[in-house]
């Protein structure tokens, strides 16, 4: 880990990453003016093809997924150590190694990481809407060791392929990573105790926290404001298959949107990690 | 015996077979560019004159070195030679992808061209450029123009000379399987650009167009969330930024200390062309509709 370098905002999709970035963007901007969803200034996404193409000097569009994964740690290291790049970059890849045995998220390039975590019972319906698939399909993807984002062998996706694995293995890959220090932030805590939760995460990212400014930033990033802004001006990060990026943002919505069978399956797939992070009680029941 | 070829207005003598390029039968003078194999290139260059630009690229005032891991080393010197060292048992199609891409791009910078990321389509007495990031749909658009009978002068790497003319580049389009399917092109008889990829070389007629074509129109292709195409003309200084942003391998150009020349080139070129930003729907766009839109726009600004 390096003092100056890249900070990662890591999460499984639909776990509060964008909300976190909006608050961070508003905070870095002084917490004074309305947030422009389509001009978040926090950083890039780790899977950006432009980023790797620019630094490598040749096109990832002409490389296989395994070849691209071999470049990525070196590109991040170059950006951090030689291009003086800092910033807070979203990433949906699990914390994994390439076939040369190197962590794709290069620890030398990394100055900090926050892992955003959300109850998988709430992730499933949101992820389904995000992908434009039914909830059963989303549950299956969340339990698939080979799940990935932006995989397209027949064409070009603006983003490079991101290996995610299962929801559980995604969580554990980051929070148990030995090469980097990762601050874990639960979506539910961002809701319940926003000031305290964001402050702790910002501090973990090396920011000096000004509580008044943070309070203003949190207020500017209220969910209904973001949802309203998306409805009026669109959101460039909305996947084409999703009707709306900012759907409900609620906690516990699963009680209405999931069937009993779906709840049972998610708990069977992810019980151990759910318990570890307080999403199941001592009896294994969802809280 | 090296084989003789032609691309970007240069005569080329190459020890590496380049089936993508039109061949020449003989030359009265030494070739402008010599491509040779050099197995001694096996590591990063050393010496104070070398500046490292990235994990994989190094430059001096007159030389440029590129390393594509597991594929090849390339040493490009003086705008006249490219030495290539394929790595291990790599297939030559893979080597050619980067030789005819980044390596030739570096050579074109060394020769003083304005090098842009996009393609050039001949419209008769003048040509249009389509610029944009990877994934914007440039190659699909070029293939659609080609299917309508237009001559595609260059795909991916466009070299523009001091008079604002685009040079005929490599007569092929690199096209993904899904784009080919959208255009109802059969990939059955096409060669893959690399054996393990679903991306193909779509050959274009090797008509030996050696004359540069004045660039009259530049379209900046992008995407948006809306369901329709949107075309916005750019005037004056607004044309400058997109040329900088769509410079091919800007990192190379800046590292080669060509910034001042490049700024001047972009400024001059911006004054010579009509430019429009074209946004297409993020998914499922009508490629024929886009060709029609650009043709209609160009017809409003006829060649003088």
């Amino acid at each position: 880990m390096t003092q100056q370098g890249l900070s990662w905002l890591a999460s499984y999709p639909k776990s509060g990453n964008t909300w976190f970035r909006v608050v961070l963007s508003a905070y870095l901007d002084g917490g004074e003016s309305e947030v422009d969803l389509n001009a978040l200034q926090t950083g890039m996404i780790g899977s950006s093809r432009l980023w790797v193409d620019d630094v490598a000097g040749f096109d990832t569009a002409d490389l296989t997924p395994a070849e691209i994964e071999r470049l990525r740690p070196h590109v991040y290291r170059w950006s951090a150590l030689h291009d003086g790049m800092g910033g807070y970059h979203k990433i949906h890849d699990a914390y994994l190694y390439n076939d040369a045995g190197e962590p794709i998220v290069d620890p030398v390039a990394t100055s900090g990481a926050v892992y955003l975590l959300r109850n998988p019972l709430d992730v499933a319906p949101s992820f389904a809407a995000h992908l434009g698939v039914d909830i059963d399909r989303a549950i299956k993807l969340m339990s698939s060791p080979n799940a990935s984002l932006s995989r397209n062998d027949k064409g070009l996706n603006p983003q490079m392929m991101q290996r995610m694995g299962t929801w559980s293995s995604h969580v554990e890959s980051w929070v148990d990573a030995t090469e980097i220090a990762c601050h874990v932030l639960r979506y539910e805590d961002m809701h319940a105790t926003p000031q305290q939760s964001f402050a702790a995460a910002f501090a973990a990212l090396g920011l000096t926290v000004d509580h008044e400014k943070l309070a203003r930033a949190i207020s500017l990033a209220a969910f209904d404001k973001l949802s309203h802004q998306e409805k009026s001006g669109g959101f460039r990060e909305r996947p084409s298959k999703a009707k709306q990026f900012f759907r409900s943002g609620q906690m516990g919505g699963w009680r209405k949107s999931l069937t009993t069978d779906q709840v049972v399956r998610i708990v069977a797939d992810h019980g151990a990690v759910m318990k570890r992070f307080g999403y199941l009680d001592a009896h294994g029941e969802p809280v | 015996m090296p084989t003789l070829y032609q691309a970007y207005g240069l005569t080329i003598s190459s020890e590496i077979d380049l089936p993508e390029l039109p061949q020449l039968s003989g030359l009265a003078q030494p070739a402008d560019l010599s491509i040779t194999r050099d197995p001694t290139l096996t590591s990063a260059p050393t010496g104070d004159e070398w500046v490292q630009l990235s994990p994989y690229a190094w430059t001096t005032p007159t030389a440029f070195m590129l390393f594509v891991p597991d594929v090849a080393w390339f040493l490009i010197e003086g705008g006249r030679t490219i030495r290539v060292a394929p790595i291990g048992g790599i297939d030559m199609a893979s080597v050619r992808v980067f030789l005819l891409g980044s390596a030739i791009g570096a050579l074109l910078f060394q020769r003083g061209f304005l090098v842009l990321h996009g393609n050039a389509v001949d419209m008769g007495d003048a040509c249009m450029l389509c610029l944009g990031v990877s994934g914007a749909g440039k190659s699909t658009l070029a293939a659609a123009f080609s299917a309508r009978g237009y001559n595609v002068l260059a795909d991916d790497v466009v070299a523009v000379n001091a008079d604002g003319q685009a040079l005929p580049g490599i007569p092929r389009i690199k096209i993904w399987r899904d784009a080919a399917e959208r255009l109802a092109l059969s990939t059955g008889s096409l060669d893959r650009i690399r054996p393990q990829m679903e991306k193909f070389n779509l050959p274009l007629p090797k008509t030996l167009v050696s004359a540069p074509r004045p660039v009259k129109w530049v379209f900046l292709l992008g995407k948006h969330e809306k369901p329709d195409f949107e075309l916005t003309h750019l005037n004056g200084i607004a044309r400058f930024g997109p040329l900088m942003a769509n410079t091919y391998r800007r990192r190379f150009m800046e590292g080669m200390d060509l910034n001042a020349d490049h700024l001047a080139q972009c400024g001059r070129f911006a004054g010579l062309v009509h430019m429009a930003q074209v946004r297409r729907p993020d998914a499922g766009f009508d490629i024929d509709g886009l060709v029609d839109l650009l043709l209609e726009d160009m017809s409003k600004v006829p060649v003088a």
Side-chain angles (χ1 to χ4, degrees):
Chain A
M1 308 260 292
T2 171
Q3 281 291 310
Q4 299 287 314
L6 313 176
S7 290
W8 301 102
L9 311 176
S11 73
Y12 201 84
K14 308 311 288 179
S15 300
N17 205 318
T18 300
W19 181 25
F20 187 90
R21 286 189 302 130
V22 175
V23 174
L24 179 59
S25 182
Y27 181 81
L28 296 172
D29 201 34
E32 301 290 347
S33 50
E34 290 296 320
V35 181
D36 181 352
L37 264 185
N38 291 307
L40 297 179
Q41 297 295 330
T42 51
M44 302 174 74
I45 184 161
S47 48
S48 163
R49 201 175 278 287
L50 281 176
W51 184 350
V52 177
D53 286 5
D54 166 53
V55 176
F58 42 89
D59 282 340
T60 52
D62 293 328
L63 299 175
T64 64
E67 289 172 329
I68 294 171
E69 287 195 346
R70 266 175 252 152
L71 301 184
R72 288 177 63 184
H74 301 277
V75 164
Y76 300 141
R77 187 175 297 191
W78 187 271
S79 292
L81 301 188
H82 300 281
D83 287 345
M85 186 171 172
Y88 308 88
H89 309 280
K90 176 166 93 167
I91 187 163
H92 287 320
D93 295 78
Y95 187 89
L96 294 174
Y97 298 76
N98 63 22
D99 63 6
E102 300 160 323
I104 291 168
V105 173
D106 181 45
V108 176
T110 299
S111 67
V114 168
Y115 187 79
L116 296 122
L117 174 69
R118 186 184 187 187
N119 188 344
L121 295 168
D122 278 333
V123 170
S126 186
F127 194 34
H130 185 77
L131 297 173
V133 300
D134 64 32
I135 291 176
D136 285 329
R137 173 81 186 133
I139 291 171
K140 200 169 174 195
L141 277 168
M142 290 170 68
S143 69
S144 165
N146 297 321
S148 59
L149 288 178
S150 310
R151 185 181 183 113
N152 185 356
D153 294 337
K154 292 183 179 179
L156 190 66
N157 191 302
Q159 285 185 49
M160 304 176 294
M161 186 188 78
Q162 303 136 69
R163 284 190 288 147
M164 293 203 303
T166 71
W167 177 84
S168 291
S169 68
H170 193 280
V171 175
E172 289 178 315
S173 74
W174 279 96
V175 303
D176 295 335
T178 53
E179 297 100 338
I180 60 166
C182 189
H183 177 85
V184 180
L185 175 57
R186 296 192 334 154
Y187 183 77
E188 294 74 14
D189 295 332
M190 289 160 69
H191 270 282
T193 54
Q195 185 78 20
Q196 185 186 338
S197 300
F198 279 103
F202 284 13
L205 292 173
L207 293 165
T208 308
V209 181
D210 173 334
H211 283 275
E212 280 182 23
K213 196 163 77 171
L214 175 58
R216 289 197 301 272
I218 291 170
S219 150
L220 287 168
F223 191 89
D224 54 353
K225 285 190 182 170
L226 305 185
S227 179
H228 181 261
Q229 203 184 116
E230 183 186 9
K231 278 178 190 146
S232 57
F235 181 35
R236 66 181 184 184
E237 294 179 36
R238 177 185 65 87
S240 54
K241 286 174 184 160
K243 289 192 181 77
Q244 200 182 342
F245 189 93
F246 296 99
R247 284 171 65 247
S248 74
Q250 289 176 356
M251 290 175 297
W254 62 270
R255 291 181 195 278
K256 286 183 188 160
S257 51
L258 296 185
T259 65
T260 308
D261 174 61
Q262 288 170 333
V263 174
V264 168
R265 263 186 285 147
I266 292 170
V267 172
D269 290 339
H270 307 293
V273 174
M274 289 176 74
K275 201 163 188 175
R276 178 176 170 188
F277 290 99
Y279 297 125
L280 295 181
D281 66 17
H283 307 289
E285 293 297 320
V287 294
Chain B
M1 268 293 285
T3 309
L4 301 173
Y5 302 96
Q6 180 164 1
Y8 294 106
L10 305 174
T11 56
I12 301 169
S13 155
S14 178
E15 291 178 3
I16 291 175
D17 284 340
L18 302 171
E20 293 85 355
L21 297 187
Q23 281 193 31
L24 297 173
S25 51
L27 286 178
Q29 296 170 333
D32 300 316
L33 165 61
S34 162
I35 298 174
T36 55
R37 287 174 179 262
D38 183 353
T40 68
L41 302 172
T42 54
S43 58
T46 53
D48 291 344
E49 72 276 26
W50 286 97
V51 177
Q52 189 170 2
L53 305 179
S54 93
Y56 311 106
W58 299 260
T59 192
T60 74
T62 57
F64 188 89
M65 192 145 182
L66 181 73
F67 168 49
V68 182
D70 302 317
V71 177
W73 290 90
F74 300 94
L75 176 59
I76 302 112
E77 290 181 288
R80 303 199 63 87
T81 65
I82 300 180
R83 291 195 264 157
V84 186
I87 295 170
I90 188 73
D91 63 282
M92 291 310 289
S94 293
V95 174
R96 290 199 305 274
V97 165
F98 302 99
L99 170 61
L100 299 177
S102 291
I104 206 97
L107 179 113
L108 292 167
F109 275 125
Q110 287 178 343
R111 293 188 78 93
F113 291 108
L114 170 62
V115 191
L116 298 169
H117 187 204
N119 53 53
V121 181
D122 192 11
M123 291 289 142
D125 295 329
C127 73
M128 64 151 248
L129 305 190
C130 179
L131 310 179
V133 298
S134 291
K138 301 184 302 295
S139 290
T140 309
L141 181 66
F145 269 104
S146 177
R148 296 252 192 127
Y150 291 91
N151 201 355
V152 175
L153 298 174
D155 182 42
D156 199 29
V157 187
V158 176
V160 175
N161 67 18
D163 298 323
Q165 299 167 319
L167 294 148
I170 297 153
R172 62 98 189 264
I173 298 171
K174 292 189 291 181
I175 192 161
W176 286 92
R177 179 181 289 281
D178 63 359
E181 286 169 358
R182 265 207 306 280
L183 293 163
L185 292 168
S186 166
T187 52
S189 60
L190 301 182
D191 293 327
R192 290 167 191 264
I193 65 155
R194 301 185 63 195
Q196 59 278 64
M197 293 186 75
E198 294 287 325
K199 195 176 177 185
F200 300 86
N201 266 319
L202 176 66
L204 301 166
K206 293 176 186 173
T207 47
L208 277 180
V209 180
S210 54
R213 282 276 192 269
V215 180
K216 178 98 179 177
W217 308 272
V218 175
F219 295 103
L220 310 160
L221 188 57
K223 296 191 272 193
H224 65 181
E225 287 194 352
K226 298 174 192 169
D228 303 309
F229 296 118
E230 196 176 84
L231 190 146
T232 315
H233 290 110
L234 303 179
N235 294 307
I237 193 74
R239 295 183 193 151
F240 185 78
L243 293 176
M244 292 298 289
N246 289 288
T247 298
Y248 188 74
R249 305 277 175 257
R250 192 166 165 182
R251 179 176 289 265
F252 291 3
M253 180 276 294
E254 289 171 350
M256 291 167 154
D257 217 8
L258 297 171
N259 252 328
D261 292 345
H262 186 73
L263 286 170
Q265 285 170 329
C266 286
R268 205 162 46 234
F269 187 57
L272 295 174
V273 297
H274 297 273
M275 188 182 289
Q277 171 81 54
V278 185
R279 293 198 173 85
R280 53 104 165 162
D282 194 13
F285 72 108
D286 163 24
I287 186 72
D288 272 321
L290 182 56
V291 173
D292 289 338
L293 177 73
L294 300 192
L295 287 172
E296 189 199 338
D297 193 63
M298 286 187 273
S299 73
K300 293 175 189 164
V301 193
V303 179

